[in-house]
Amino acid sequence: MLSWIILIHVASTFYMTGLIWFVQAVHYPLFQQVGEGDFPQYEKKHMRMTTWVVAPMIPEIISLIAWGALDPAVWFSWWYWVNGIGLAIIWISTAIFQVPLHTRLLGGKDEKTVAHLVQTNWIRTVCWTLRSMALMYLLSSYIQIH
């Protein structure tokens, strides 16, 4: 059971890391190319469709918590805590920056809001990248111990 939880966590984390780099480098910058008249409908569709693509955020956090609950020894790993704190920052950033900015964009295109979305998304991009690296270290030490 624990190996499946770890596998789910690794897969969802690496998936989200790749996705966030795509969003940061391609998707959000392309918001500038959407016409003002089309923007509210575009943003509404974007939010609805993106929900399914970012769904692995849910098993990612559940599997991290389950990993710690099923194997309390992992709590003594510095890399586990880097991973967990990074994930907490991602969720907080999503709640206080990305979701409100997307909600604001439902009202229409605003260059400053789009720019703020791109800027604040660096928080998640950096955190997911660092989490992936920390997870690789955690896995290498975990494999050696077990």
Side-chain angles (χ1 to χ4, degrees):
M1 172 81 160
L2 183 59
S3 60
W4 279 103
I5 290 170
I6 294 169
L7 185 60
I8 289 167
H9 186 70
V10 169
S12 58
T13 297
F14 290 167
Y15 168 83
M16 289 304 301
T17 302
L19 179 63
I20 201 69
W21 273 102
F22 171 79
V23 167
Q24 186 64 27
V26 177
H27 189 62
Y28 279 173
L30 284 176
F31 274 29
Q32 299 292 356
Q33 304 300 310
V34 180
E36 288 192 30
D38 296 327
F39 200 89
Q41 187 64 21
Y42 174 85
E43 180 62 19
K44 184 177 179 181
K45 258 187 177 174
H46 167 269
M47 288 177 70
R48 183 173 31 86
M49 295 170 81
T50 298
T51 299
W52 299 106
V53 177
V54 300
M57 286 179 71
I58 304 296
E60 181 182 30
I61 196 165
I62 292 170
S63 60
L64 181 66
I65 293 166
W67 186 356
L70 293 174
D71 185 7
V74 78
W75 287 72
F76 296 103
S77 169
W78 189 80
W79 299 113
Y80 179 83
W81 287 102
V82 168
N83 199 15
I85 291 167
L87 191 54
I89 292 169
I90 288 165
W91 277 81
I92 291 167
S93 176
T94 301
I96 67 172
F97 293 121
Q98 283 71 44
V99 170
L101 291 169
H102 278 291
T103 301
R104 188 178 313 157
L105 288 171
L106 286 171
K109 185 175 184 177
D110 175 54
E111 301 291 335
K112 286 184 180 181
T113 302
V114 171
H116 194 58
L117 184 63
V118 173
Q119 290 168 345
T120 58
N121 196 56
W122 277 111
I123 296 166
R124 300 189 308 173
T125 304
V126 168
C127 282
W128 256 307
T129 302
L130 293 175
R131 287 190 61 245
S132 286
M133 289 188 277
L135 187 53
M136 286 187 283
Y137 281 105
L138 177 59
L139 284 172
S140 67
S141 63
Y142 192 83
I143 291 168
Q144 290 173 8
I145 293 170
H146 292 84

